[in-house]
Amino acid sequence: QQQVKQSPQSLIVQKGGISIINCAYENTAFDYFPWYQQFPGKGPALLIAIRPDVSEKKEGRFTISFNKSAKQFSLHIMDSQPGDSATYFCAAPLGGDQTGANNLFFGTGTRLTVIP
Amino acid sequence: EAQVTQNPRYLITVTGKKLTVTCSQNMNHEYMSWYRQDPGLGLRQIYYSMNVEVTDKGDVPEGYKVSRKEKRNFPLILESPSPNQTSLYFCASSWTGGTNEKLFFGSGTQLSVL
C-alpha cells in the first residue's frame, strides 16, 4: 500500500515556467511533509518542508501548498531554471510512537527537465 | 565536513556471494537507515536504527541484514544476494527529536547482482 502517491512521473517545462508536482497521502496522522531533490549521481537532499498548521510555505522560488481536507500537498517551482532539472520526491513520516519525522515514506519521484 | 559516507560506490557481484555495504556518518546522529531506489518505485526503506543496538525493519527487509554496534556505522549485509537485489542503495542519517528532522543521504551504492 502506497502511503504517498506522487504525480506526474515526469515533467518537461520551459525555462521561466512554473513546475508543479503533486502528492496525495492516506494517513491523517502524518504531520510533516518534506520534499527532497536529487541530482544525477547524488543522494537526495532536503529542499523544503511544511507542517500542517500552515497552508503554504515559500523559500525563494520553491513553494509548498498544503490542503489538509484533500490530503494533498504540492511543490511549485516558479521561474524554473535548467539547474532545477532533477528528480523530486515527496515524503511523509511513518509516525506513531516509533520515530519522529526521520522515518520517511517516499513517493515514486518526478523527473523534472527544464528546457533552456 | 559533515557527511554520510558509503562504500563501495559501485559493486558487481554474483548470486549467492555475501557482501557488505558500509555506511558511516560523522555528525553524531542517532538515527540511520537504508533505502533502495528503483525506477518507478522511488525510495523504499529497508531497515532503520533509532540508536546503537536498536534496529527495525522497513518496507522491504527481505534478504538484508543490518547491525548497529557503533553510533557512526550502519552496515548493510546481503548474505546471499540475488538478481532482484540489483538496485541503487542509499544510507541516510539524522538527529532524532527536536525540530531538526532533515535526513542526510550518502552518495549511493550501485549494486549489480549477476
Side-chain angles (χ1 to χ4, degrees), chain B residues 3 5 13 24 29 34 41 65 73 79-80 97 102 104 113:
Chain B
Q3 60 185 358
T5 303
T13 189
S24 180
H29 287 164
W34 277 101
L41 297 177
K65 285 176 59 178
N73 296 323
E79 294 270 3
S80 182
K102 177 181 177 180
F104 292 79
V113 183

Side-chain angles (χ1 to χ4, degrees), chain B residues 15-104:
Chain B
T15 299
K17 187 175 181 181
K18 181 179 179 180
L19 66 90
T20 298
V21 183
T22 64
C23 175
S24 180
Q25 50 90 7
N26 62 0
M27 295 168 277
N28 201 36
H29 287 164
E30 297 90 357
Y31 173 89
M32 297 186 74
S33 64
W34 277 101
Y35 289 86
R36 60 178 288 174
Q37 183 176 5
D38 302 287
L41 297 177
L43 290 154
R44 293 180 293 167
Q45 190 182 62
I46 302 170
Y47 270 94
Y48 68 96
S49 170
M50 294 300 294
N51 214 323
V52 176
E53 301 292 359
V54 180
T55 64
D56 209 344
K57 297 177 181 178
D59 290 331
V60 288
E62 294 78 19
Y64 304 95
K65 285 176 59 178
V66 293
S67 68
R68 189 88 182 275
K69 294 184 173 63
E70 303 169 283
K71 197 172 188 178
R72 64 182 291 123
N73 296 323
F74 190 45
L76 179 69
I77 304 158
L78 284 72
E79 294 270 3
S80 182
S82 62
N84 64 11
Q85 293 178 298
T86 292
S87 186
L88 178 58
Y89 291 86
F90 287 100
C91 179
S93 71
S94 75
W95 290 280
T96 57
T99 58
N100 190 339
E101 302 92 355
K102 177 181 177 180
L103 273 181
F104 292 79

